[in-house]
Amino acid sequence: MPALNTSLPLAALMWFGMMAAMMLPVSVPWVRVLVSLSDGDGRVRSGAPPALVPRRWLWAHVRSGALFLAGYLSVWLLFSVAAAAVQLGVAGVVPLGRDTPVAGFFLVGAGLYQLSPVKAACLRHCRNPLTWFLTRWRDGPRGALGMGWGHGLYCLGCCWALMALALVLGVMNLLWMAVLAAVVCIENLAPCGPVAGRVAGVGLVVWGVVVWMG
């Protein structure tokens, strides 16, 4: 956890570094679908890709993927700033840690959100990149950036409660961040993802109740 005398920019940078490391793996399928659908001008491709990929085609795909990721990560940057502000503001008033009553509140809250209809709707989006691109495609560089931002909002809706657990588990605790990242990856990529997410939700509720009782 950042020390209480840590500046907001530094704390936000620490949060953003961890959020990027955790969320970029689940964005890889989205970039792959984006590249497979786009032509050399950032529009939906109408035919098969060329047998020999020209330099212009390759650069257009790199640019589109980078802009999509920039829009996506900008959502998590804003989340990181907000989380760092909450952390620095609350830590001086209420103790934060895995065995505190506040931790129980966060654990139960995150577990209940895992079981909510909003979570389920956002997770359905995150598991279906092809549907999103075919129905929300926007041409050009600004379109790639905007699609990344739009997807990022859904991704935030899916994962914000799990990411907020870093407030009590420790944003620099690599073990717990690896566990959360694994849950996110299983939810988004594994065939049993939605079921695994609900199982994790029940586990978080039970854990939170145990912390309260202890």
Side-chain angles (χ1 to χ4, degrees):
M1 303 286 278
L4 292 180
N5 59 356
T6 300
S7 66
L8 178 59
L10 179 58
L13 182 62
M14 294 168 63
W15 270 89
F16 181 63
M18 191 59 69
M19 294 301 103
M22 295 170 68
M23 302 311 300
L24 278 176
V26 297
S27 67
V28 171
W30 284 76
V31 175
R32 292 177 61 185
V33 173
L34 172 71
V35 169
S36 70
L37 291 177
S38 63
D39 65 8
D41 295 313
R43 296 188 294 267
V44 175
R45 178 166 49 81
S46 58
L52 296 176
V53 179
R55 187 173 301 176
R56 176 175 170 272
W57 180 284
L58 180 61
W59 164 245
H61 285 166
V62 171
R63 181 187 62 183
S64 295
L67 288 171
F68 179 84
L69 288 176
Y72 174 75
L73 289 176
S74 66
V75 174
W76 287 105
L77 176 60
L78 293 177
F79 172 84
S80 298
V81 173
V86 170
Q87 184 177 49
L88 295 179
V90 172
V93 180
V94 179
L96 296 176
R98 291 195 300 273
D99 300 322
T100 64
V102 174
F105 171 80
F106 273 87
L107 290 165
V108 171
L112 293 177
Y113 187 78
Q114 286 288 108
L115 305 173
S116 71
V118 175
K119 164 73 179 192
C122 291
L123 183 58
R124 280 195 299 272
H125 159 87
C126 291
R127 291 174 60 86
N128 293 280
L130 182 60
T131 300
W132 167 261
F133 285 127
L134 291 179
T135 57
R136 303 290 184 90
W137 187 272
R138 296 166 62 184
D139 293 339
R142 292 180 61 183
L145 188 67
M147 287 188 292
W149 170 265
H151 169 54
L153 292 176
Y154 272 99
C155 190
L156 179 64
C158 181
C159 300
W160 73 268
L162 287 175
M163 299 301 103
L165 289 177
L167 287 166
V168 293
L169 298 179
V171 70
M172 298 308 295
N173 186 318
L174 297 183
L175 174 60
W176 283 113
M177 294 305 98
V179 171
L180 292 179
V183 172
V184 171
C185 285
I186 292 171
E187 279 188 334
N188 281 268
L189 304 177
C192 62
V195 175
R198 290 192 290 271
V199 170
V202 173
L204 289 171
V205 172
V206 172
W207 185 7
V209 171
V210 169
V211 170
W212 276 339
M213 294 177 62

